[in-house]
Amino acid sequence: MFQFIYSLLIRLALPFILVRLWWQGRKAPALRQDWQHRLGLVPQLHGPVIWVHAVSVGETIAAGPMVRRLLARNLGATILMTAMTDTGLAQARKMFGDRVAYAYAPYDTPGGIRRFLNRVNPRILVIMETEIWPNMIRQCRHRRVPVFLINARLSERSARGYERVRGVAAPIIKSISWVAAQAEKDAERFRRIGVAPGNVEVTGSVKFDVDIPDDVRAASVSFRKSLGERPVWIAGSTHTGEDEQLLAAHRQILAQHADALLIIVPRHPERFDSVAEMAQGEGFSVVRRSTGASLAGAEVYLGDTMGELMMLYGASDLAFVGGSLIERGGHNPLEPAAWGIPVFSGTHVFNFETIYQRLLDDQGVQLVENADELARAICSLMDDPEALKAYGERALAVVNKNRGALDKVVEGITERL
């Protein structure tokens, strides 16, 4: 009955979802491309297929090292990467070119999932983190396609929600073949909501296994040289409500370090224009990366290209990770930490609770409440190169100390193929 009601509701909502997609495509035209994928009408694939689903950019980046390892093993299978967002697919294409196949994931209607599975016929489904879609998982189970949750996390709040509807959620939860959990508390919650104990394993977070490709390192070094000796700080993956605070912090930093440069990279491409206009409206000299213009005299550099955040982190002296000065839950602090630079975030980091705790335990990250606190902390490190270096080394040490989850995950996937 639950499955019937759920499927009915999502079918009824589908026309409105498609209209919303079209509307959003006004500012992000890529959303309108391959829209038929959302209905399961994807290009047909032949031979064994490993389906890797990552919702958006963050999950796609986290999946990158795993996909590279799977490709290196020459498993004789096509890897299909899917995402729900245009930015997620753009990130995947940036990382892998023509080495893997791509598609938007279908909306979770029975027909959409059925058409998708008929065309792809995957051998396994690997879902990054915790995306539990009832029709997707149910139909994979019926076709004997194992479903793996990789880098899985489950908050106490979410676990209680599943427990309240245990009777209807249990058949879906029990269909999950393997959960590679980030931490023991996540594993315990998955067991509580009905995943068989033998199907849950604590592997750690694969996000600690940050993989910086050689071409990204080379591009980062080259770009840094073009910036000269000026101090550079970056605000990555920013959201509405944060940019004003970050620009206010940068104004305070410029008062003490007149040649400082802020690189600001909004999380969503549709905000590139508005952030540029905001910075210009507040009197900053702004250069957009997409123009290729000279940075001479620039105070704010807008990262308005896709798939280059990792490279821009490497060209910076310090990093602020966005989505954290507002109640968004934060983004991955390990990307800048892997470059060995100091990392700052706001206090709203519940999406990466375990990762932030490990960084905090070893003083590899500093949480700030507002723009004033951020500006003071950044200026303090800009004034003390030795302290800046030591801070970055602590952040990198946390990354290196917690590596190893990726090996466990790749072994677990290949053993279960």
Side-chain angles (χ1 to χ4, degrees), residues 147-173:
V147 178
F148 304 156
L149 296 187
I150 302 301
N151 211 45
R153 56 187 171 88
L154 189 67
S155 69
E156 181 61 28
R157 179 180 178 181
S158 295
R160 289 174 181 168
Y162 282 112
E163 286 180 312
R164 282 195 293 269
V165 293
R166 180 185 293 274
V168 294
I172 304 301
I173 299 299

Side-chain angles (χ1 to χ4, degrees), residues 29-40:
L31 285 172
R32 295 182 180 178
Q33 296 175 5
D34 297 323
W35 65 270
Q36 64 274 22
H37 290 186
R38 314 281 190 167
L39 303 179

Side-chain angles (χ1 to χ4, degrees), residues 287-303:
V287 171
R288 297 178 66 147
R289 180 163 177 79
S290 60
T291 66
S294 170
L295 279 167
E299 296 169 319
V300 174
Y301 188 53
L302 180 69

Side-chain angles (χ1 to χ4, degrees), residues 14 36 38-39 57 63 65 69 89 91 107 112 136 170 199 235 255 267 275 283 290 310 339 349 401 415 417:
L14 185 59
Q36 64 274 22
R38 314 281 190 167
L39 303 179
V57 174
R69 296 276 187 95
L89 279 192
Q91 180 67 50
Y107 292 130
M136 180 186 290
N199 292 345
R267 179 71 172 182
V275 174
S290 60
M310 195 67 174
W339 285 103
V349 293
K401 183 170 71 172
E415 286 173 3
L417 275 175

Side-chain angles (χ1 to χ4, degrees), residues 174-321:
K174 290 179 180 178
S175 297
I176 298 171
S177 308
W178 184 47
V179 174
Q182 292 189 21
E184 180 56 44
K185 60 185 176 182
D186 297 303
E188 186 274 331
R189 290 166 187 158
F190 277 108
R191 296 184 192 106
R192 271 171 47 196
I193 67 171
V195 179
N199 292 345
V200 181
E201 181 179 352
V202 179
T203 59
S205 174
V206 299
K207 292 188 175 182
F208 283 105
D209 292 275
V210 183
D211 183 8
I212 306 176
D214 291 341
D215 61 333
V216 174
R217 289 189 181 275
S220 182
V221 169
S222 176
F223 179 57
R224 177 68 221 204
K225 286 180 180 178
S226 73
L227 300 178
E229 297 299 320
R230 65 191 302 188
V232 179
W233 71 288
I234 183 171
S237 296
T238 67
H239 288 255
T240 300
E242 290 186 308
D243 305 290
E244 303 93 324
Q245 299 181 67
L246 295 165
L247 291 171
H250 190 49
R251 191 173 299 283
Q252 295 180 48
I253 292 168
L254 287 172
Q256 297 187 43
H257 298 272
D259 59 342
L261 176 69
L262 165 61
I263 301 175
I264 190 165
V265 186
R267 179 71 172 182
H268 300 113
E270 59 267 27
R271 297 186 56 248
F272 289 160
D273 291 343
S274 62
V275 174
E277 291 168 4
M278 179 190 302
Q280 290 167 341
E282 294 192 12
F284 291 100
S285 173
V286 180
V287 171
R288 297 178 66 147
R289 180 163 177 79
S290 60
T291 66
S294 170
L295 279 167
E299 296 169 319
V300 174
Y301 188 53
L302 180 69
D304 60 347
T305 53
M306 293 302 300
E308 293 197 304
L309 178 57
M310 195 67 174
M311 183 278 289
L312 294 172
Y313 275 137
S316 306
D317 300 312
L318 312 96
F320 172 85
V321 180

